[in-house]
Structures are given as structure tokens and as C-alpha cells.
Amino acid sequence: MRATSTEATSIGVDVGGTKILSVALSPTGAILARKKIPTPQQIDSAIGNPVGSSVAAAVAETVAVLAAEVGLSPTTCALGLGVPGMVDHSGTLIFAPNLHGAIGANIAHLVGDRLNRAEVGVDNDANCAAVAEHHFGAARGVDHALLVTLGTGIGGAAIINGQLLRGAHGFAGEFGHLMVDPAGPACPCGGKGCLERYASGAGLRHLSTEAAAKGELSPEAAESPESLFNAAKSGEHDALAVVDRFCWWLARGIANLCACFDPELVLLGGGVLEGHEIVLGPTSQYLRDELEGGQHRTPPRLEATALGPDAGAVGAALLGERTKR
Amino acid sequence: MRATSTEATSIGVDVGGTKILSVALSPTGAILARKKIPTPQQIDSAIGNPVGSSVAAAVAETVAVLAAEVGLSPTTCALGLGVPGMVDHSGTLIFAPNLHGAIGANIAHLVGDRLNRAEVGVDNDANCAAVAEHHFGAARGVDHALLVTLGTGIGGAAIINGQLLRGAHGFAGEFGHLMVDPAGPACPCGGKGCLERYASGAGLRHLSTEAAAKGELSPEAAESPESLFNAAKSGEHDALAVVDRFCWWLARGIANLCACFDPELVLLGGGVLEGHEIVLGPTSQYLRDELEGGQHRTPPRLEATALGPDAGAVGAALLGERTKR
């Protein structure tokens, strides 16, 4: 059954630590169908890389269902995957704090085997999202853009001269793990004081907990990022101060990225900001202050992503098309 | 008078805060002649941008002398300048902590006027050095390389897919001004806790002074980076500890750059390291520890630059050739 008269030509899958989102995409970027399933957490002890193989099985199954729905063959259609971690040029997930059990797995190969096909594109999820925003979203026509996605951690990607930066091994854009405080809290990556300890969902929790422990935030507001934002929106002074601190850290992190890349545009996305685009204003202001030579230059534009939570899956579909060619 | 039978085709000038180094270059990268003069510090109050114009006058004069020496015309030969600061795409120096009086000047235009010529290339000095290392030096044939030069501050540049990264406005590669410690010392850039407060010549002074104030370094060893290195080489335990701390900061900064760029090679250059390449070993070791997913990946190679203090001028000459075409 076709959702519209436009033809789907590719399928993209965004494999997250908690859910797997698949979309069927038209050549103009229209999403003709989508599926969302939970990411399997169980361990399949019969096979070499346990969680990797159960994730691959779930991906293959959801792709087969989605393909049937839009009249594509799961064996021959363009297919790409976005995964939350560092993917090397062979497609192997070499490091993934949020999909730990899949480290060492080549999910593209595992999915390909189950669907009886060879070409499956795979890349880091933020890289996929950046490609999608550059093709169809808020970075269209921009040659130098960064994407910073704020979820539990921070995802990142750089568009340079109109091309995605993958780096020598495929690991560029790991913006969440820039160390910004040698006295900062430990990070699941093994480091300490990483940017994502301050300027992500986990960062908001850290800043809230810290403030609450000092008696500078009510326990209710400190409960979750959502409750913090709600308290801030209702004008609670202490909550506003924590959100302000979060904006400073985010701006400071972006200023570090600007020192490296000098982008024209920085796109902010991810679940943490959804409905809370209010932080863009103060973050822009802090960025102007923190930018080297800020008084002598135009700071980059700071904008919300256009494709929202679909960006990763849309970019994976684009990657699938490139892989097929 | 020709220095060799090979023909000089371009002149490159490295304009530093304290000295101006010019070289005449052959197409194969041979330096056929060179001149070094002090950077004028006086203010020429008769003209709009005082220090900028006196620097330009000195550059024009030294270029004319060097050109005559190798049989080139200063009006028609390829000519490029490297300057210590942020240069926009029009060639204007928009921010330069170490050549402050020249901010706002377009030195290439000023030099061109004096030499009665239009085409003069200009770029950041570290960008020039990276181009030189990529053409003739330690980064030849490397597609993803970073250059980190340690002088008073830190200069930086990135080669991406074999091309120099300039960014949207020409300001990419400002690695010294990544904030790495919110509680760190003030930086001449206006920021606080910038990487170059720890991992540069100024950084060595800061770490030494700090250690001496705590009684953890002898006043003699704390006198200068040179005396610190000498004390370390003679086995003084406290001096070794400070050098070790310096190596950690340098590695931590490079790990941040790796999170952004994922290079294959990181070149270290600049006056601070000359004769002290001993720091490469411990810095490499710390880099392996600090790199995200370090236990699952090959860290980038860490090497000394091949062209040393000539790299900036050589790269400026290459830039001059590109500008002329």
C-alpha cells in the first residue's frame, strides 16, 4: 500500500540505544512510511556478538515489513543504517557507550546477511542526520555547517565544503567528548569532564543535581530535564539559573567547535531541545561572548534542525542510495 | 646573485610578532635565499593603521632586497604572506593577539601598494605552515592531518581530504583557544582556560610558575621553558613532573582535536619543541589514554614537523603561487 502517489526508493534506519526508527524515502525526501520499534536489549548467547546480532535481526525484520508496505524489495532497495557510535570505514561499530553490547559488530553485514543482500550503508547516526539536514533540511546550500544533537549524550557532525567530514578512520564529529573541565565528572566514555557531562540531557541532570545538592534548586525541578524546563518556564528563579548555566556550557562547547571549524551555521537538534527552543537565544548571546575575537567577527547562525527526530533515518536512507550507486 | 642554479619562482614571507622571515622558493621547494629582520614595533601616527603600515613597509623592503638577490621582479613574482592571526577571505587581519596594532589592516594590500602590484596572497601563518608540510614536509601524501605549532601561543591548521580547511570566514584551526578549564587563567584573547595557557610556551611558563609557587619546582628551573627543559634533562625530579604535566595537557588538547577531526597524523612544531622532541613519547602515551575509545582504535601518529621554522614562509610562497594563477 503506498502512502502517496510518490514512489519510495530507499529505506533508512536509525538504530538508537532504546528505539529503532525506519523510514521509506522518496527521491525528494518525502517520508512515505515509518516504523518505530524498541531496540532489543537481550543477549543472544548462541552467537559471537550477542546484542549486535539481536539488533541486526530486529532491523532486518522491520526493514522487511516497511519495504513490503511501500512496494520495495528489501533485498534490492537502497538501504542505510545510522548507529549511535564510532563506525570505522569497514562498517564495524568500534565504540558505542549507548549500544555497548554491539561493539565489534558489523551491523550492516549482519543485516545484509539476514536480508540476503550485500550493499547496506552504515554510518554514525549524527553523521546521517547532518547529511539529511544538508540535503533536505536547515543546512541546505550551506558549505560549512555543524550539527550538534542533544540527547542523553551529544552527537556531532561537520559539513565542510559541502561534504560530510568522516576523518581518517570514520570517527570525526565526536563533539560530546571534548574535555572542557579537568575537574569535571566521569563520563561513560572513560574520560572526565567531557562536554556532554554539561551540555546534554545527562548534563542537565548533572547541573540540576549539583544545584539541588547546594540547596539552589528545588528537588521537584531537579527531577528531570523536563521538570527543570517546566520550572524555568513558570519563572522559578533557581531553575532559570540552571538553564542559564546549561546555555553557557552549550555556548562554550560550540565556541570550541568554532575555533576548530569556523562554521557558518550550527544546527542544534535532539530530544532535549524539542519544545525548548527557548535556549537558542541565551546560547547565541553567550556564544557571541565566548567566541575568540567575537567583537571583530560575525558569529555563526545558531538554528534548530528542520527534520527533528527523523533526520537520522532520512540521512541513513540517503547513505543507502550512495552505497548502492 | 643566484644561490644555486635552480630558479626561484616565488617569495614567501612569514610575518611574526617579533621577526619577519622571507624565503625565495624554487618549484621543488628548495629555499634559494632567505632574510630575517625584526618586526617594526613603532607607531607611524601619520597613517590610518599605524603598526600595520610600518609592518607592510618592512615587508615590502625585505621582499625587494630578496627578489633582487635571486633575480626576481618584486612586482611580478609570486608573493605570499603568512600573518599571526585570524585573516578573513578579503585578506584583512581581524584578530591578532600577538600583532595587535595591525588588527583591521589588509597587509597584503599595503604591501602590494608599496611594490606596485596587485596579487599578494595572505593567510594565517599556521595555515601556511600546514600547506608547506603537506606539499614538501612531514604530511606529504596524508589526507587528514593536523598541525599544532607551539610558540608563545598555539597555532593550528587542519588538512582535510588533502585540502587546507579555512572555514566559512577563514578562521578555522584556532586550536589554542579551545577552552579546556573553566577555572583556568585568563588568556590574551579575552577568554579563560584556553588550551594555550597550558600547552604552549606561555603554558610552560604558567605550569612552572604554579609549581614554583607551591615549592614544587626550583626558581632556577622555573625561569624559562629552556631552563625547565634543561633541568628535566639533567634528571631533576620536580622539573620532570612539570614537563610531564605539560605533555598531559598537550595530549589532552590533541585528543580534543581528534574528537573533532579524526586525523591520521598530528604534526607538532614551533619554537618550544625545537631540541625537545623528547616530549613526543610521553605525549603519545597520554594521547592513547585520553583518546575516546582509545583501547579500540589506532591513535593518530604524532610527529615533529619536517620544515621547522621555515614552514610558514615556504607555505606563504606556495600561497603566492596559487594566488598568481
Side-chain angles (χ1 to χ4, degrees):
Chain A
M1 194 188 81
R2 303 276 170 86
T4 79
S5 61
T6 319
E7 199 109 15
T9 52
S10 57
I11 289 179
V13 188
D14 186 359
V15 183
T18 56
K19 60 176 172 35
I20 296 172
L21 172 68
S22 311
V23 303
L25 202 71
S26 83
T28 58
I31 294 173
L32 304 181
R34 84 178 74 211
K35 285 260 165 290
K36 196 194 265 190
I37 58 170
T39 305
Q41 305 292 329
Q42 77 277 18
I43 288 180
D44 178 352
S45 57
I47 311 184
N49 191 288
V51 178
S53 68
S54 59
V55 169
V59 168
E61 196 182 319
T62 199
V63 166
V65 172
L66 192 67
E69 202 173 295
V70 295
L72 283 174
S73 155
T75 304
T76 59
C77 75
L79 175 61
L81 314 177
V83 295
M86 296 162 70
V87 181
D88 71 14
H89 290 317
S90 81
T92 301
L93 190 64
I94 75 115
F95 193 59
N98 297 315
L99 201 66
H100 206 268
I103 289 178
N106 189 315
I107 294 184
H109 285 185
L110 294 175
V111 169
D113 286 349
R114 286 175 183 269
L115 293 175
N116 194 26
R117 56 178 291 156
E119 293 138 342
V120 179
V122 62
D123 202 346
N124 171 270
D125 50 5
N127 283 358
C128 290
V131 168
E133 293 287 344
H134 189 244
H135 267 72
F136 299 122
R140 223 172 340 174
V142 178
D143 282 342
H144 292 275
L146 301 180
L147 172 69
V148 179
T149 62
L150 310 181
T152 305
I154 291 180
I159 300 288
I160 289 179
N161 293 320
Q163 299 287 328
L164 176 70
L165 172 66
R166 299 205 77 235
H169 315 89
F171 310 150
E174 289 286 315
F175 303 154
H177 301 285
L178 268 81
M179 190 281 285
V180 290
D181 187 358
C187 183
C189 79
K192 208 176 151 187
C194 290
L195 179 61
E196 71 175 39
R197 292 303 94 204
Y198 300 97
S200 68
L204 269 174
R205 282 178 197 277
H206 168 71
L207 296 173
S208 296
T209 308
E210 202 178 52
K214 287 187 199 162
E216 293 171 358
L217 185 67
S218 69
E220 296 73 37
E223 211 162 87
S224 71
E226 203 53 39
S227 56
L228 176 74
F229 277 120
N230 287 339
K233 278 175 190 169
S234 71
E236 199 181 307
H237 179 267
D238 288 347
L240 282 165
V242 174
V243 170
D244 192 64
R245 188 108 191 101
F246 168 79
C247 291
W248 182 83
W249 276 108
L250 181 54
R252 190 52 254 184
I254 294 170
N256 276 7
L257 300 178
C258 290
C260 289
F261 293 106
D262 180 24
E264 176 184 343
L265 172 70
V266 178
L267 287 181
L268 288 175
V272 171
L273 289 191
E274 264 164 58
H276 310 301
E277 287 77 6
I278 184 180
V279 305
L280 287 180
T283 305
S284 291
Q285 189 54 52
Y286 279 127
L287 177 59
R288 194 178 288 267
D289 297 342
E290 293 294 330
L291 210 56
E292 187 199 356
Q295 63 279 44
H296 302 286
R297 64 194 280 194
T298 313
R301 288 179 287 130
L302 208 63
E303 293 179 11
T305 53
L307 304 177
D310 291 330
V314 169
L318 289 169
L319 175 65
E321 278 168 19
R322 281 211 313 274
T323 307
K324 209 172 154 61
R325 276 201 298 268
Chain B
M1 193 188 82
R2 303 275 169 88
T4 79
S5 60
T6 320
E7 198 111 12
T9 52
S10 57
I11 289 179
V13 188
D14 187 359
V15 182
T18 55
K19 60 176 173 33
I20 297 172
L21 172 68
S22 311
V23 302
L25 202 70
S26 83
T28 57
I31 295 173
L32 304 180
R34 82 179 74 213
K35 284 260 165 289
K36 196 193 266 190
I37 59 170
T39 305
Q41 306 291 330
Q42 78 277 18
I43 288 180
D44 178 351
S45 58
I47 312 183
N49 190 290
V51 177
S53 68
S54 60
V55 169
V59 168
E61 196 182 319
T62 199
V63 166
V65 172
L66 191 67
E69 202 172 296
V70 294
L72 283 174
S73 155
T75 305
T76 58
C77 74
L79 175 61
L81 314 177
V83 296
M86 295 162 70
V87 181
D88 70 15
H89 289 318
S90 81
T92 301
L93 191 63
I94 75 115
F95 193 60
N98 297 317
L99 202 66
H100 207 269
I103 289 178
N106 189 315
I107 294 183
H109 285 185
L110 294 174
V111 169
D113 285 351
R114 288 177 181 267
L115 292 175
N116 195 25
R117 56 179 291 155
E119 294 138 340
V120 179
V122 62
D123 202 346
N124 170 270
D125 49 5
N127 283 358
C128 290
V131 168
E133 292 288 344
H134 189 244
H135 266 71
F136 299 122
R140 224 173 339 176
V142 178
D143 282 343
H144 292 275
L146 301 180
L147 172 70
V148 178
T149 61
L150 310 182
T152 304
I154 291 180
I159 300 288
I160 289 180
N161 292 322
Q163 299 286 329
L164 176 70
L165 173 67
R166 298 205 76 235
H169 314 91
F171 309 151
E174 288 286 315
F175 303 153
H177 301 286
L178 269 81
M179 190 281 286
V180 289
D181 186 357
C187 183
C189 79
K192 208 177 152 187
C194 291
L195 179 60
E196 71 175 39
R197 291 304 95 203
Y198 300 97
S200 68
L204 269 174
R205 281 179 197 278
H206 167 71
L207 295 173
S208 296
T209 308
E210 202 178 52
K214 287 187 199 161
E216 294 170 357
L217 186 67
S218 68
E220 296 72 37
E223 211 162 88
S224 70
E226 203 52 39
S227 57
L228 176 75
F229 277 121
N230 287 339
K233 278 174 191 169
S234 72
E236 198 181 308
H237 178 268
D238 287 348
L240 282 165
V242 174
V243 170
D244 191 64
R245 188 108 193 101
F246 168 80
C247 292
W248 181 84
W249 276 108
L250 181 55
R252 191 50 254 184
I254 293 171
N256 277 7
L257 300 178
C258 290
C260 289
F261 293 106
D262 179 25
E264 177 185 342
L265 172 69
V266 178
L267 287 182
L268 288 175
V272 171
L273 289 191
E274 264 165 59
H276 310 300
E277 287 77 5
I278 184 180
V279 305
L280 288 179
T283 305
S284 291
Q285 190 54 51
Y286 279 127
L287 177 59
R288 193 177 288 266
D289 297 343
E290 293 294 330
L291 209 57
E292 186 199 358
Q295 62 278 47
H296 302 287
R297 65 194 280 195
T298 312
R301 286 179 288 130
L302 209 63
E303 293 180 9
T305 53
L307 305 177
D310 291 330
V314 169
L318 289 169
L319 175 66
E321 278 167 19
R322 281 209 314 274
T323 308
K324 207 172 156 64
R325 277 202 297 269

